[in-house]
Amino acid sequence: MKNNIYDKYLVEEKMPTMWCPGCGNGIVLQSIIRAIDEMDLDPEKIVFVSGIGCSSRAVNYLKFDCMHTNHGRAIAFATGIKMANPELKVIVLTGDGDCASIGGNHLIHACRRNIDLTVICMNNSNYGMTGGQYSPTTPLNSFTKTSVYGSYEPPFDLCDLTKSAGATYVARCATYLPVQMKDIIKKALNHHGLSFVDCASDCPSLYGRLNRLGDAGEMMLRWKDRLVSVTQSQKMSEEELKDKVIWGEFVNKSDRMEYTDIYKENIRRAKEAAHE
Amino acid sequence: MKLKVVIDRKMCKGCGICVVLCPKKILKIDEEGKASVTERQECIGCRQCEFHCPDFAILMGDDDGQL
C-alpha cells in the first residue's frame, strides 16, 4: 500500500502496533493524523509529547518530532517546549491514568495558565499497560484487577475538571464517532489556549474482559446507546443521564489571554522599564 | 468510480470491529483470524470500517483492489 495517509504519517517498520486487538488507541491516533492531514499543517512545526502507558506509545509510530517522557509529566515537558519555542504546535498524547492521576497536578496547572497546548486524553477507564488496575476514571462498581469487588471510588469527569480549572477549549468524543472526533481534534488544534479533548475508548482485553462486556465488536456497539450529545443532554433529566456519556464541546471561549502571550508582554514591559 | 474496501492482511489483528459495523455485512473473520471481504461488489464505500479500524489495516481502493 503506497501513497496513502498511513504511509505519509506512520512509521512502516514499527507496524503493526503493540496494542491489543480492538484497542481504541488506534482509532484515536487515526483521527489525529486525519485531522492533521486535512488541516495541511507543516510537520516541522508539530511536536508530540507523551507520558507512559498504552496511549503514550502512540508517539513511537508517528513521523513527527516526538518526545516520550516520564510517567504523568508529559504536560510539564510540553510546557517547557512551548515556552522555549512558542511557534511550535505542541500536542500531548496521554492516557487517563497518566494525565488524571499521576499527572493530575500538571493538568490542572496547565489549564490554570491557559498555555497553548492540545491535550488529547485516550480514556479507556483503567491502567492498561500494567495489567488493568483501576484509574481515576473507572466507573463506580466496575471490576478491575485491583477492585475485584467493584470499584467504590467515584470517578473523575475529566471535562468538568479541566473546565473548572480554566481550560478554554474542552470537548469529549468517543471511538464510536471517529469522524466527529477528527472534527473536534481539528477545532482543538486551531484553538489558541489550552484545549483538552477526552477521547472515550475501549480496553477489550482487560477492562472489557473483567466486566464481561464481550469482544471488541460488542464493546464498540455498546457506545451506540450510551452516547448523548451536549444539545440532547440539555433536554434530559439527571435520572435519564445516569449511565450516559455526553459528547461534544463543553467550553469554547477566548476570553482569557494565552500564557506565552502574557510572558512576551511581560518581557516587553520589563525592557521598557529598564530603558527608562 | 466508487471506491471499495481493501484489507491489508499483514496489519489486521482480527478484532472484529469492522465486521459488526459493516452495514452490508460483507466482512467476516476467516480461518486465519483476519478480516476478509466476502462480496466485494456489494461494498457501498461508507468507510465505517476504515475509520473504525484500530490497526490501520483498511483503506478504500478501486475495483481491482488498487489504492
Side-chain angles (χ1 to χ4, degrees), chain A residues 42-242:
Chain A
D42 180 9
E44 301 280 313
K45 296 266 178 222
I46 299 176
V47 182
F48 279 90
V49 187
S50 77
I52 298 295
C54 288
S55 55
S56 304
R57 287 296 291 261
V59 298
N60 292 6
Y61 308 118
L62 288 164
K63 283 183 189 168
F64 290 94
D65 289 336
C66 296
M67 199 169 176
H68 203 157
T69 67
N70 302 11
H71 200 357
R73 274 49 171 162
I75 294 171
F77 281 83
T79 305
I81 294 168
K82 186 74 190 176
M83 290 305 286
N85 191 351
E87 300 295 303
L88 297 173
K89 211 171 248 311
V90 186
I91 306 171
V92 181
L93 299 182
T94 177
D96 53 323
D98 192 45
C99 94
S101 157
I102 296 153
N105 220 348
H106 298 297
L107 177 71
I108 56 172
H109 287 285
C111 293
R112 176 176 65 84
R113 291 178 187 133
N114 191 28
I115 184 163
D116 187 14
L117 306 176
T118 306
V119 182
I120 297 171
C121 174
M122 306 181 195
N123 187 347
N124 62 0
S125 343
N126 69 354
Y127 283 87
M129 187 170 266
T130 47
Q133 290 83 359
Y134 71 84
S135 82
T137 58
T138 303
L140 261 182
N141 302 323
S142 56
F143 301 99
T144 62
K145 286 275 171 67
T146 46
S147 60
V148 284
Y149 302 110
S151 171
Y152 43 80
E153 293 182 14
F156 260 146
D157 183 326
L158 291 182
C159 289
D160 284 351
L161 176 78
T162 47
K163 188 177 161 183
S164 48
T168 47
Y169 184 93
V170 178
R172 183 185 286 123
C173 204
T175 48
Y176 185 68
L177 306 165
V179 180
Q180 288 85 336
M181 187 191 282
K182 179 197 71 189
D183 292 339
I184 283 177
I185 291 171
K186 268 163 84 173
K187 277 191 191 169
L189 288 171
N190 269 330
H191 184 77
H192 190 60
L194 193 124
S195 38
F196 180 83
V197 184
D198 181 13
C199 300
S201 74
D202 290 326
C203 180
S205 52
L206 291 162
Y207 185 79
R209 182 166 56 83
L210 292 168
N211 288 283
R212 308 234 160 108
L213 301 175
D215 61 10
E218 284 169 57
M219 282 187 87
M220 185 55 82
L221 291 179
R222 270 182 80 240
W223 287 111
K224 201 174 172 181
D225 305 323
R226 285 163 66 217
L227 287 169
V228 177
S229 73
V230 174
T231 39
Q232 271 177 314
S233 72
Q234 284 157 355
K235 296 173 199 151
M236 290 165 80
S237 67
E238 209 151 281
E239 193 60 36
E240 284 173 309
L241 286 171
K242 213 177 164 190

